[in-house]
Amino acid sequence: MQSISPSREPLILAVALAVGLLIGLAPLQQFAIQLFGKPGIGNAIAVNLMLPAAAVVMAACFPKLRTAAASGILVVLGFTLARMMHFDLRPWAWNMEFVKSHTSPILVGAAIGCSVLAVIAALIAGNFRRVGAPPHSPSCAACRHALAAHAEAPVPSHCPECGIRLK
């Protein structure tokens, strides 16, 4: 089992937002017009395939449930912000009416769906990757409390955390 440092959590969340921005800024509608003649297919591919895939990859990289749920929402938020930037590049000029008129209820459903898929991916990836310090050796079999500073140090006769006899 691979251990991942918990200090990477802010980085994963920032990357999730950046990936959403990149997907939103990608010229998917122009590609869809060239390939299929319909610009809506580009948005459908982004919302139904690319955003959930990005959320699942983020969750597999950092399998912590709260981070997985947040990364699913942040990927869609980044996509939404990028789409609003297509209409007005001045975010300080955006008001509530602008945000409401350029945000689809489908994106709310996409955020929920991406979060659910990311949590499922984190639950699966949690079997192979662990967020936190690697297991300490030697440790108590009952409560996993570290018994010594290093492997060569003497081990106590009772666990200081749960009190069971070790030897």
Side-chain angles (χ1 to χ4, degrees):
M1 182 177 287
Q2 183 181 7
S3 294
I4 304 160
S5 172
S7 65
R8 293 186 183 172
E9 185 172 20
L11 176 66
I12 290 293
L13 295 175
V15 168
L17 184 63
V19 166
L21 281 167
L22 289 175
I23 292 172
L25 292 173
L28 296 174
Q29 290 180 332
Q30 287 79 12
F31 289 138
I33 289 172
Q34 290 174 356
L35 294 175
F36 307 108
K38 298 180 180 180
I41 293 176
N43 280 340
I45 289 171
V47 171
N48 294 325
L49 296 176
M50 296 175 80
L51 294 177
V56 167
V57 168
M58 294 294 136
C61 290
F62 196 85
K64 196 169 194 178
L65 297 182
R66 72 175 181 207
T67 307
S71 67
I73 293 170
L74 285 173
V75 166
V76 176
L77 178 66
F79 176 79
T80 305
L81 290 174
R83 286 297 178 190
M84 285 193 282
M85 284 183 203
H86 282 289
F87 298 105
D88 189 1
L89 285 173
R90 302 169 301 146
W92 59 87
W94 297 351
N95 58 19
M96 224 30 201
E97 288 301 316
F98 177 82
V99 172
K100 283 182 189 177
S101 66
H102 293 93
T103 304
S104 170
I106 292 172
L107 292 174
V108 175
I112 294 168
C114 286
S115 291
V116 168
L117 288 174
V119 167
I120 291 169
L123 288 171
I124 293 170
N127 294 326
F128 309 103
R129 298 170 62 95
R130 178 176 178 240
V131 175
H136 194 277
S137 178
S139 61
C140 175
C143 69
R144 303 282 183 226
H145 180 72
L147 297 174
H150 51 83
E152 292 82 26
V155 177
S157 61
H158 289 81
C159 175
E161 185 71 21
C162 66
I164 68 164
R165 184 167 173 78
L166 299 172
K167 294 181 183 179

